[in-house]
Amino acid sequence: MKDNRVYSVAIDGPAGAGKSTMAKCLARKLGFVYVDTGAIYRTVGYHMNLMGIGPRDKDGVERLLDDVNLKITYGDDGSQHMLLNGFDVTEEIRTPEMSKIASEISAQPAVREFLLDMQRDIARTHNVIMDGRDIGTVVLPQADVKIYLTASARIRAERRMKEQEAKGQKQSFEKVLQEIEARDHQDMTRAIAPLKQAKDAVLLDTSELNLEESVAAMEAIIAQRIPL
Ligand code: DC
């Protein structure tokens, strides 16, 4: 970095667009901290589920929010770990059920409010690449770089299926596609902080690009705006 200030890169986009894979890769390359904000919503959803509270139960969720003690830690390889009340739940939050719960619970204003400062605090003190749904629009409206990363629903479903297969979670293509489309709809139509491209975000559609090409395209966008 050529100066002493901190920089932030905001990456938003629908489920399965490759945000986390690419952001992780670039963060390592550029020496930035990678922040996966979806994991934070997943962890809140996981806690509520554990306590028998449904993600749409507004009163129940609000009542239990203060019991949620979240901590983000990083492994030697830069991988993000989520600690919930001292327990590492990094693996547990990565199931299709938790994807759905996280999407539903994230529509609750109290949950978004609860997590806002935590996300902003990290960006205040570190160079970050932060991915999510509302990073460029709400969490870091002053981000130095904003990228809206997307790909067609079918391509995203194919990629998600491969990812899940690698983890031994086999599902049919139709089921994965249907889950992705349902989540797109839920995330894009909620009343508060819906997923949308920020006015000043660069659109990157990776439907026709492989991982290497997508990372290179993203790096070029960042390099135009940050003195690396
Ligand atoms: O990125 P992900 O698939 O792990 O996110 C899970 C859900 O969390 C997503 O469907 C919507 C919600 N989310 C959000 O509302 N805002 C964010 N910044 C990140 C995720």
Side-chain angles (χ1 to χ4, degrees), residues 24 39 58 75 89 95 112 115 127 139-140 144 157 174 179 190 194-195 219 221 224:
K24 218 182 288 172
K58 190 169 170 288
V89 296
T95 63
R112 306 204 72 84
L115 299 179
N127 291 319
V139 179
L140 304 176
D144 299 283
E174 289 310 322
E179 281 173 4
R190 67 180 176 221
L195 168 64
E219 190 174 358
I221 296 169
Q224 276 171 9

Side-chain angles (χ1 to χ4, degrees), residues 9-30:
V9 178
I11 302 176
D12 292 300
K19 298 185 299 292
S20 66
T21 312
M22 291 169 58
K24 218 182 288 172
C25 187
L26 274 168
R28 199 175 308 134
K29 198 162 172 188
L30 307 180

Side-chain angles (χ1 to χ4, degrees), residues 84-210:
L84 168 62
N85 298 332
F87 290 96
D88 191 325
V89 296
T90 310
E91 295 295 324
E92 287 83 346
I93 59 175
R94 293 282 146 208
T95 63
E97 190 199 0
M98 284 304 140
S99 301
K100 186 163 180 284
I101 288 178
S103 179
E104 288 174 356
I105 213 160
S106 71
Q108 292 209 28
V111 172
R112 306 204 72 84
E113 181 66 35
F114 179 71
L115 299 179
L116 196 56
D117 285 345
M118 176 182 192
Q119 298 169 81
R120 286 184 176 157
D121 282 347
I122 306 173
R124 236 190 303 275
T125 44
H126 300 84
N127 291 319
V128 291
I129 297 191
M130 191 175 281
D131 85 28
R133 303 292 187 286
D134 63 336
I135 309 305
T137 51
V138 177
V139 179
L140 304 176
Q142 311 296 341
D144 299 283
V145 184
K146 296 182 188 180
I147 299 174
Y148 189 83
L149 192 70
T150 191
S152 75
R154 293 192 76 83
I155 296 270
R156 288 187 280 126
E158 268 170 32
R159 291 178 185 161
R160 186 47 53 95
M161 227 175 92
K162 281 191 196 138
E163 229 175 70
Q164 285 176 355
E165 266 174 28
K167 287 192 287 185
Q169 299 170 352
K170 219 168 159 33
Q171 274 187 301
S172 76
F173 175 75
E174 289 310 322
K175 178 113 201 295
V176 177
L177 180 63
Q178 190 201 333
E179 281 173 4
I180 285 215
E181 285 175 339
R183 207 136 70 89
D184 283 359
H185 180 76
Q186 161 80 26
D187 294 347
M188 288 171 178
T189 58
R190 67 180 176 221
I192 178 168
L195 168 64
K196 63 173 183 215
Q197 184 179 344
K199 281 195 193 73
D200 49 353
V202 179
L203 176 68
L204 180 57
D205 186 323
T206 67
S207 301
E208 309 282 324
L209 306 179
N210 65 26

